[in-house]
Amino acid sequence: MTLLLAACNVTKSVPDGDHLYTGASVELRADSLDKRTKKVLQSDLQGLTRPKPNGRLLGIPFKLVIYNALRNKKPNSFWGKLRDKQGQPPVLLSAVDLNLNTTNLDAFLENKGFFRSEVSGDSTTKGKKGSVKYVAIAGPRYTIDSVIFPGDTSAMAQAIRESSKESLLKSGAPFDLDLIKGERTRIDAYVKERGFYFFSPDFLLAQVDSTDGLNKVDMRLVLKPETPAEADEPYRIRNVYIYSGYTLNAARQDTSKNIGKLYNGYYVIDPRNRYRPLLFDHAMQFRPGDLYNRTDHNQTLNRLINLNQFRFVKNRFEPITDSNYLDAYYYLTPLPKKSLRGEINTTSKSNNLNGIELSFSWRNRNTFKAGELLSVSGYIGSETQFGGQFKGYNTYRTGAEANLLIPRFAVPFFDVRTRGGYMPQTKFTLGYDVLNRRKLYTLNSFRGSFGYVWQESIRKRHEFNPVSITYVQPINVTQEYYDSIRNKPYLSNIIDSQFVLGTNYNYNYNDLAAGIQKTNSFYFNGLVDFAGNVAGLVTGGGNAQDPKRIFSAVFDQYIKLETDVRYYRRIGTKSSWANRVIAGFGMPYGNSVRLPYVKQYFAGGNNSLRAFRSRTLGPGTYRPKGDITFTDQTGDIRLEFNTEFRPHISGPLYGALFMDAGNIWLKNEDPSRPGSKFTKDWFKQLAVGVGAGVRLDITLFVIRLDVGIPVRKPWEADPRWFQGVEIRDAAWRKSNVIYNLAIGYPF
């Protein structure tokens, strides 16, 4: 109640004679600019004004409200500490320095090329609140007429001239101080790739001449006279020293060269013999004699960090007297060899199933002294529905998995090496799971794989598993479930024995992985998965009526292709528009008439069509009749289209307006599910849902709530859009309004 009362009077702590500062606005007058450029420039100007008013969420200055409610509490009391930590005193109008702000705005305009600009500011008060309005009249914007690069005969000047084709400074471009700074940074990056280790952007000076009277400038880039001599020479690597057990407590001993061992040109200082030198031979990008370049410098550091073996990684380069050579030193502080971790997770699904899972993992780093990582994990969990069709049909899961990661391509008889900032990995996986659906069935499954994972860059990732094995076997099926199969034969798919011996390849491209969302960003994930080819050759092939076996088990045969394409469009500074298209196609053949259950597609749920409950949609126009005791619809083919507008509301709060469309189908006809086969009329069989939601995005994680309603149901006799939608009908809302609470964005 105290907070509510305080919220009604946010000015109660403002001193007499002063005003609560509510912010500044900037009116920009620049008729020569297009609408978009003017909007961006105006936003930049407004961002420069100081001080900033009290922060608000949904229009309410919560921190000021807390401060007002607790302003009289003693500093060292509980409430006083809460006020000082979570509250914020009022920002006062008297703290605004109009002269300083107008000077800063004028300087900013000049730096952007608007010479002879005029900026003024004035304050306005109303009651106990006050604001400031600035008027900026932009002068004529100057453009670049010509650019001259250093013309002397030094190695540095020659390298700079060689880079001029990639220059950011173009004739006719607007004069912009940020562009000049960017050009100096570009030149620095260019020459650092060519051995100029000691060069700095600060050694470059841009001389500007604007005396032609035509609102144009001539620019000349020159090297400052005080540029040191070593900055004008390219350097090469002489020796590389690697200290694999560096600690601050024993730095002097750790940096001794006398105990180093030479391996393939590297001096490895490892007195405790913790690591095989092979590890560093694959990680390092510098070789003795190489010309220094920043790419190898950064990629070597990134690869060493990427090993997940060291807590700290740092390096330095030391010049050799009277030569153009550098010695490279790498100091590596190991992480603890073994670690144990436990987690408790809760889940909530759109079909009202609520679950909890307890998991643990054990890690052993540097298992075989070459950076290998052995991890063993286990979990136990359950899902329960307290009301609805699944009540009493609890699900229990338990399982364990072991992974061995080797930080290189482990290929027999070949030494495969890669360059770049990421270490390739060879991965071995072995797992076992038990799924118990109470009153229905129990399945146990074994899985194993051997493959390779590597990244070209932060955006491009590959995973190739030449061997992937999955074996699923039912160990207990209840009579109730057998009775359900008699009415719905497709339910037998779930408890079928499955033996998948296959190969798969996955490629992922993600613009957002770099951490910066461009105006237009893309995401692509492609999967090729096939199984049973080799087994089919060994056994001579088979068919569903007379399937072939390996080790007394019928093996699955299929080819599966899948793509996930996403497009993100930034709107303004914080809002965005996200789109996704998923297309998956599975072709069973030989022993199989459908994909194995673990490889099939499903639709609906938190990250799919949010207006339909998970696994209840499709395939095709099929819809189970009567009471649904257990619904788990799957298919061989999937098409899905999603679009979502994500407007920024306030602070970390975002909204969402979305539309989802899609369905799943079978490749071959299933008599027990009429309408489930994929045909040329697939477009007429799409389910469509619309909805809205909110997201709390605090960078570390996102909590979202989506509410969706179906507007097209393909199984209905008249599946027109919005046919039968009755928002005002309570019974209709109970059956059709779907709530989705989840962590992370849906796509």
Side-chain angles (χ1 to χ4, degrees), residues 336-378:
K337 182 174 176 59
K338 298 178 182 180
S339 62
L340 184 65
R341 179 178 180 178
E343 293 182 350
I344 298 179
N345 299 310
T346 59
T347 59
S348 179
K349 297 183 178 180
S350 60
N351 55 11
N352 295 325
L353 280 171
N354 301 289
I356 186 170
E357 181 179 283
L358 173 64
S359 63
F360 68 90
S361 61
W362 174 79
R363 284 186 167 191
N364 184 33
R365 292 183 175 88
N366 200 36
T367 306
F368 304 115
K369 292 191 173 184
E372 300 86 0
L373 176 62
L374 174 64
S375 62
V376 179
S377 60

Side-chain angles (χ1 to χ4, degrees), residues 216-418:
K216 295 183 177 181
V217 297
D218 294 319
M219 301 186 65
R220 179 187 294 273
L221 293 177
V222 298
L223 289 168
K224 294 180 180 179
E226 59 268 26
T227 301
E230 59 265 24
D232 193 37
E233 297 291 340
Y235 279 75
R236 292 186 175 273
I237 304 299
R238 188 183 72 166
N239 295 322
V240 179
Y241 299 93
I242 303 168
Y243 298 91
S244 62
Y246 178 78
T247 62
L248 292 175
N249 294 334
R252 183 173 299 177
Q253 179 182 350
D254 290 339
T255 56
S256 173
K257 300 179 183 178
N258 299 327
I259 53 178
K261 295 180 181 179
L262 182 63
Y263 180 86
N264 281 359
Y266 301 113
Y267 290 93
V268 180
I269 295 85
D270 184 16
R272 298 186 183 181
N273 293 319
R274 294 178 178 176
Y275 304 95
R276 291 160 56 196
L278 172 69
L279 172 65
F280 306 111
D281 188 30
H282 279 263
M284 303 300 295
Q285 299 291 274
F286 278 125
R287 295 281 175 182
D290 283 354
L291 189 69
Y292 169 85
N293 67 83
R294 179 177 283 174
T295 295
D296 285 348
H297 179 168
N298 292 335
Q299 289 184 350
T300 298
L301 292 174
N302 199 55
R303 287 167 78 95
L304 290 170
I305 295 170
N306 187 243
L307 286 170
N308 196 27
Q309 297 287 329
F310 305 104
R311 186 187 302 274
F312 303 112
V313 175
K314 65 177 183 177
N315 84 310
R316 68 182 178 90
F317 293 90
E318 183 177 294
I320 308 304
T321 305
D322 298 328
S323 73
N324 291 346
Y325 280 90
L326 301 168
D327 278 348
Y329 297 84
Y330 291 87
Y331 305 101
L332 315 176
T333 303
L335 284 163
K337 182 174 176 59
K338 298 178 182 180
S339 62
L340 184 65
R341 179 178 180 178
E343 293 182 350
I344 298 179
N345 299 310
T346 59
T347 59
S348 179
K349 297 183 178 180
S350 60
N351 55 11
N352 295 325
L353 280 171
N354 301 289
I356 186 170
E357 181 179 283
L358 173 64
S359 63
F360 68 90
S361 61
W362 174 79
R363 284 186 167 191
N364 184 33
R365 292 183 175 88
N366 200 36
T367 306
F368 304 115
K369 292 191 173 184
E372 300 86 0
L373 176 62
L374 174 64
S375 62
V376 179
S377 60
Y379 71 91
I380 182 170
S382 67
E383 289 182 344
T384 304
Q385 189 182 69
F386 298 105
Q389 64 188 28
F390 292 107
K391 185 176 181 181
Y393 293 86
N394 297 347
T395 300
Y396 302 96
R397 303 173 185 268
T398 185
E401 181 177 278
N403 287 286
L404 177 64
L405 296 177
I406 302 174
R408 59 189 173 277
F409 284 117
V411 182
F413 312 113
F414 293 94
D415 184 15
V416 181
R417 294 173 181 263
T418 63

Side-chain angles (χ1 to χ4, degrees), residues 715-728:
W715 60 84
E716 292 186 339
D718 184 11
R720 288 181 297 173
W721 287 55
F722 294 95
Q723 181 70 18
V725 175
E726 298 288 346
I727 294 293
R728 292 176 293 181

Side-chain angles (χ1 to χ4, degrees), residues 152-222:
D152 59 83
T153 59
S154 66
M156 172 59 65
Q158 184 176 347
I160 293 175
R161 288 196 299 274
E162 290 174 355
S163 76
S164 61
K165 293 180 180 179
E166 303 172 8
S167 175
L168 303 177
L169 304 175
K170 305 290 185 181
S171 178
F175 174 86
D176 190 332
L177 183 61
D178 289 333
L179 202 63
I180 296 174
K181 293 178 180 178
E183 174 69 1
R184 298 202 312 171
T185 301
R186 184 199 66 81
I187 291 174
D188 176 64
Y190 183 89
V191 300
K192 286 283 174 58
E193 290 297 309
R194 285 149 182 81
F196 294 91
Y197 174 75
F198 289 101
F199 182 78
S200 167
D202 294 335
F203 299 156
L204 272 175
L205 179 66
Q207 297 176 338
V208 180
D209 183 3
S210 60
T211 58
D212 60 6
L214 299 175
N215 297 337
K216 295 183 177 181
V217 297
D218 294 319
M219 301 186 65
R220 179 187 294 273
L221 293 177
V222 298

